[in-house]
Structure formats: structure tokens, C-alpha cells
Amino acid sequence: MADGKELKEKLFNEKKVGWEGLTEKQRNEIFNYCNGYMGFLNKGKTEREIVKESRELAEKKGFKDISKFKTLKPGDKIYYVNRDKNLYLAVIGSNNIEENGLHIIGAHADSPRLDLKPNPLYEEGGFAYLKTHYYGGIKKYQWTTIPLAIHGVVVKPNGEKIEICVGEDEIDPIFTITDLLPHLAQEQMERKLKEGIKGEDLNLLIGSIPYNDKDVSEKVKLNILNILNQKYGITEVDFLSSEIELVPAFKARTLGFDNSMVAAYGQDDKICVYTSLTAILEVENPANTAVCMIVDKEEIGSMGNTGMESHVFDTFISEILDKMGINKPNLLDKVFVKSKMLSADVDAAFDPIYASASETNNSAYLGRGVGVNKYTGARGKSGASDANAEFVAWVRNLLEKNKINYQISELGKVDLGGGGTIAYILANKGMDVIDCGVPVLSMHAPYEVTSKFDVYQAHKMYKAFYQK
Ligand code: MN
Ligand code: MN
């Protein structure tokens, strides 16, 4: 009879903590990579900022706008910027695209936040406020009494675009949403958590000095508009054509005495933007054409002309086929059917404080590597594209051959809820798609937590996928 311990090692799928057994050098490699990641987060908190920053990084690595190319050949590095909020990058491979398809990784740059309403500015009780409309799935109470920064653009009818970013520099003012003191919150505290703070209570406090003229009304609002006019040349009507987003004014920071984690806003899904972007930037002369997508609007359903549901992606790939001189009727559809895609998005991590929301055998754990989801969806897998076992096996082979720590998991207990990503949109085009990304604690909160070990494993996985 075989030794039980040996047999167990051979037969069981034991989930290992990735940090165990790492050398000092390997640990430093992870820490260094994550310093770059935290720097990236601190420079970009909105989809526009992430697209701008990613484009700059790509240009430094020799990527050029696809419009600059008359023809494309293997090895060429290109990108396409869609309305400043959505970026596609590609490196042309040497394999036949019709036979082998594309190797695509897609992540989203938008994160839950508070947007301004079209008519946001008002004065009440001696204060000036901006009214907000939340974007994506948030727990509203988490967005009060924290420092918030204002990011965005105001576009004037003549096309002039004014960029606004206040609250990130140490010398900038910040803004906040107040909450009721506990002493007087008896009624509020009796409400359900989701109603404790209401959507219409999320009003940003932005000023309190009245304009110095006793004969006018709404003096505080007037004073603020005067400041905005002097600083940005805008008036109240210009808010109508603006996109202004309120995001936490926190910096990305290392978390823990052991420096093992990252705490930051917007890691869903800028974590997969960074890990996949840095992967494609390192690709040289791949066999299969490598594509990296940084999309918008995922948090509100992927609709719109910068979201994954739009046909701009198809147009980009058609343009590549045209410029390679190989396009013909039906080729785009054939290419999609042969393509492989990693839908790079964060995974819900097991949180011991909220253990009852998870099923421990099928949870992703911080520090155990990249989280792979065969399917997402809600309850009876509703809305899931559900990767085929054959493709999961292909992905396992990629991970195991390259010694990348991974865990295949579900989003939480079956009946509790669920979620989705952009996976199904590409799967509907005929591609093999699987969700994979970094497990996160406090997902969608103003401050999300990840393990540096997992960040690095995701990067290694994306790089291996492009090189295969
Ligand atoms: Mn996401
Ligand atoms: Mn999300």
C-alpha cells in the first residue's frame, strides 16, 4: 500500500499560499513590479486618465497609432484610441490569422464612483454643493466622510475641452460628503443598510464663503461660480456638457507590516489593465497576433460606443486585416471563432470576516495566485458564457507549464447574488473566453485590497498567454 501522505500529495488539489518558499529575490521582484502598479494607479483614476497614461507607456515601447500605417506586417505594434476612453493595442503575429485567430486580453478602466448630475450646483444653508449620480454598484454609505477628488472634462459648445483634476496634489483642497452624527442618528440607524444613505443624499460639499455683495441672493454659489470662472473660464451652463467624476482622494498604498498587499481605489479593474498592458508592452514578434483591450462602461453594462458591446473593436480588427492585405468577406467572423480571449477582471476574494458569503471549497483566496472563473453569472449561472472544459484545460496547461499559481473559483455562495464581466460579449462572437484576474477584498469600495503575489501572477499569466 502506498504511503498516505505521498498519495495525498499526488491525488489532492491542495491550494498553496504563494508566498511560502519564495526567495528574497523573488519577493523583491514582486514588490518592485507592484511599485510600478501603485504608481500607475496614482496617475490614473478615471478611464480617460488610464487611456492617456496607457497610450504614453505604449508609445515609449514603440507602439504607434494604426492610422500611421499604410500596411501592417508581423512584429508591428499598433494602437487605436476610441474617444479618449477606450484603447486597443496589438502586436502583429507571424501565424496565419485565419487559422489561428487572435490572442486577446480585455480589462476595463472604469471603476465605481460618483458622477455629477447635469445641473449639479446649488446652495443650501450657507453651503455650496454638487449633486451626484452614482456610477456602478456601490454601497452608498462608504462614500460619505472620506476625502474625494474631482476629475473630469468640461467641453464648451465651440469644442474647447477643459480638464479638471482637484484633490490629488497635497496642496489641493479636497471635498467630502457629510453624514449625520451618531447622537442624532436614531432614525437613520434603524433603516436598512442600503437605505442608510440615500442616492439623493450624496451631495458634495464644495464651499461656504458668500460673495461679498449684500444685494445678491445665493452668494455662496455665486462665489464658487466666480472661482470656477476665473480658474477654468466656465459658467454654470457648461456643466451641461461635462463629464466630472468624484473619486477617493486616497493614494495607492502598501498594506500590512509585511508589505504584502495593495490598498487602493479602482483596482477593479485597473489591476488587470496594468498587468495586461505591461504584458503586451513586453511582447516582441509573437506567433499569434496579440491584442490588449482597455474598455469603458463595464461597471454599467458595457453599452455605449466606448463599451465592449460597441462595434468599434470589430472595426479595429477589420482595419488590421485590411492593412495586412488579407481581408476578404467573412474573414473577421472566422478570425473571431478561432480566437482565444482572457477576460481579465477582478475576482471576489474570500474574506474571513464575511466567511458566510463564500463557499470555502470554491472561493478565491488572497495570495494563492490568479483567480480563474470558468463562469460568472447569478444563481443558476444566469448570463454566464461558461468556458468549455477544453478551453479550461488549454488555460490550465498554459498556467501549469509556466509555473503560475492559480485557483479556479466561483464568485460566492450560489444563491447569494452574482456578477458578470465582458466575457460573454466576446464569447458571443465565437471566441473561447475565460475570466481570470486578481482576487480582491472590499470590491467596489473606495479602498480595495489585493495581494501583491496575485498581481504578479496575473502579469505572468498574461505574458505567457501572449507568448504562446
Ligand atoms: Mn470589474
Ligand atoms: Mn466591478
Side-chain angles (χ1 to χ4, degrees):
M1 220 167 55
D3 175 63
K5 200 175 159 220
E6 271 175 36
L7 195 62
K8 200 176 162 191
E9 256 169 45
K10 186 180 158 199
L11 298 181
F12 273 41
N13 173 26
E14 296 283 6
K15 293 162 182 158
K16 292 195 185 74
V17 175
W19 294 109
E20 278 176 27
L22 288 189
T23 62
E24 181 90 10
K25 189 171 166 256
Q26 288 170 317
R27 212 184 264 195
N28 284 336
E29 209 176 307
I30 292 172
F31 287 170
N32 285 339
Y33 180 77
C34 287
N35 287 341
Y37 168 51
M38 290 187 283
F40 181 78
L41 290 176
N42 286 334
K43 277 190 241 150
K45 288 191 175 175
T46 67
E47 55 282 354
R48 285 176 192 268
E49 290 165 355
I50 289 290
V51 164
K52 186 166 175 249
E53 197 185 342
S54 301
R55 175 191 186 157
E56 283 168 12
L57 289 174
E59 282 176 345
K60 276 188 202 144
K61 291 280 187 175
F63 284 72
K64 290 194 188 85
D65 195 306
I66 190 169
S67 67
K68 300 247 160 62
F69 290 82
K70 278 209 173 73
T71 60
L72 287 170
K73 59 177 191 315
D76 284 343
K77 299 175 175 184
I78 50 177
Y79 67 78
Y80 177 76
V81 179
N82 176 19
R83 295 174 170 87
D84 294 341
K85 296 199 268 185
N86 167 210
L87 175 68
Y88 299 119
L89 304 115
V91 184
I92 308 299
S94 50
N95 279 352
N96 180 314
I97 288 193
E98 183 172 354
E99 298 290 321
N100 300 280
L102 312 160
H103 279 204
I104 305 170
I105 305 178
H108 65 93
D110 62 316
S111 301
R113 58 178 193 249
L114 305 176
D115 286 343
L116 290 195
K117 290 192 184 195
N119 301 286
L121 183 60
Y122 74 101
E123 173 176 341
E124 201 168 327
F127 296 112
Y129 294 97
L130 292 170
K131 287 207 73 80
T132 70
H133 193 136
Y134 56 92
Y135 174 99
I138 64 163
K139 292 164 101 172
K140 284 169 275 201
Y141 70 87
Q142 294 177 335
W143 293 75
T144 63
T145 67
I146 58 168
L148 293 167
I150 297 179
H151 294 232
V153 295
V154 179
V155 187
K156 293 206 181 186
N158 66 4
E160 185 195 348
K161 192 186 285 184
I162 298 129
E163 289 186 24
I164 294 176
C165 182
V166 188
E168 296 297 342
D169 202 312
E170 287 302 316
I171 59 163
D172 281 354
I174 54 87
F175 310 90
T176 197
I177 294 167
T178 56
D179 192 4
L180 190 56
L181 62 169
H183 317 64
L184 298 178
Q186 290 290 19
E187 182 271 327
Q188 183 193 36
M189 302 278 253
E190 293 300 326
R191 291 185 219 156
K192 285 184 181 161
L193 192 57
K194 69 173 185 179
E195 290 150 11
I197 301 290
K198 295 173 181 167
E200 294 298 344
D201 296 338
L202 293 175
N203 302 321
L204 190 72
L205 182 58
I206 58 162
S208 62
I209 298 179
Y211 187 77
N212 209 355
D213 181 340
K214 64 177 171 32
D215 294 330
V216 290
S217 61
E218 298 182 274
K219 295 185 183 68
V220 182
K221 175 176 168 178
L222 179 61
N223 193 46
I224 291 292
L225 277 173
N226 193 35
I227 291 166
L228 294 178
N229 186 256
Q230 283 169 7
K231 195 165 177 194
Y232 302 109
I234 58 173
T235 67
E236 188 177 14
V237 72
D238 292 320
F239 279 114
L240 295 177
S241 48
S242 71
E243 281 178 358
I244 296 176
E245 306 175 10
L246 312 183
V247 294
F250 312 139
K251 291 258 177 288
R253 303 285 292 265
T254 282
L255 174 68
F257 283 118
D258 55 8
N259 295 326
S260 60
M261 292 168 274
V262 174
Y265 163 71
Q267 297 200 71
D268 176 6
D269 187 30
K270 295 166 179 76
I271 200 164
C272 293
V273 169
Y274 186 74
T275 46
S276 59
L277 175 71
T278 50
I280 201 166
L281 296 189
E282 291 169 29
V283 168
E284 297 287 347
N285 302 307
N288 295 298
T289 295
V291 179
C292 176
M293 314 192 292
I294 300 171
V295 300
D296 184 27
K297 299 279 187 282
E298 194 277 341
E299 295 294 354
I300 56 169
S302 296
M303 297 299 173
N305 57 16
T306 55
M308 195 66 246
E309 293 272 14
S310 96
H311 287 232
V312 177
F313 176 64
D314 302 35
T315 307
F316 172 65
I317 301 299
S318 292
E319 183 84 348
I320 290 177
L321 299 176
D322 281 341
K323 291 193 169 177
M324 289 179 78
I326 58 172
N327 212 357
K328 58 185 179 184
N330 224 19
L331 181 60
L332 183 66
D333 291 333
K334 284 184 181 169
V335 167
F336 283 160
V337 171
K338 294 282 185 178
S339 292
K340 293 182 172 64
M341 194 243 177
L342 302 180
S343 167
D345 207 340
V346 294
D347 199 357
F350 176 79
D351 186 336
I353 300 175
Y354 302 100
S356 65
S358 299
E359 188 265 286
T360 50
N361 283 331
N362 286 284
S363 291
Y365 293 82
L366 240 65
R368 292 186 190 174
V370 60
V372 179
N373 294 143
K374 185 176 181 299
Y375 49 83
T376 57
R379 289 164 288 273
K381 299 192 182 182
S382 179
S385 48
D386 205 346
N388 299 306
E390 290 84 348
F391 185 53
V392 182
W394 187 92
V395 171
R396 268 187 61 201
N397 180 48
L398 175 84
L399 290 161
E400 288 165 16
K401 262 198 173 156
N402 290 285
K403 297 191 167 50
I404 295 162
N405 297 51
Y406 74 95
Q407 36 190 338
I408 295 196
S409 61
E410 290 196 349
L411 198 62
K413 275 189 179 161
V414 176
D415 287 333
L416 279 189
T421 63
I422 61 170
Y424 74 95
I425 305 164
L426 287 304
N428 287 350
K429 294 183 196 287
M431 297 180 198
D432 273 316
V433 183
I434 196 162
D435 277 300
C436 56
V438 180
V440 177
L441 292 174
S442 308
M443 195 194 291
H444 284 201
Y447 224 34
E448 300 173 319
V449 174
T450 56
S451 166
K452 290 183 183 176
F453 181 79
D454 304 333
V455 179
Y456 197 59
Q457 297 306 301
H459 174 63
K460 274 172 69 179
M461 179 190 189
Y462 301 152
K463 213 169 136 183
F465 175 69
Y466 282 140
Q467 282 164 350
K468 195 174 162 87

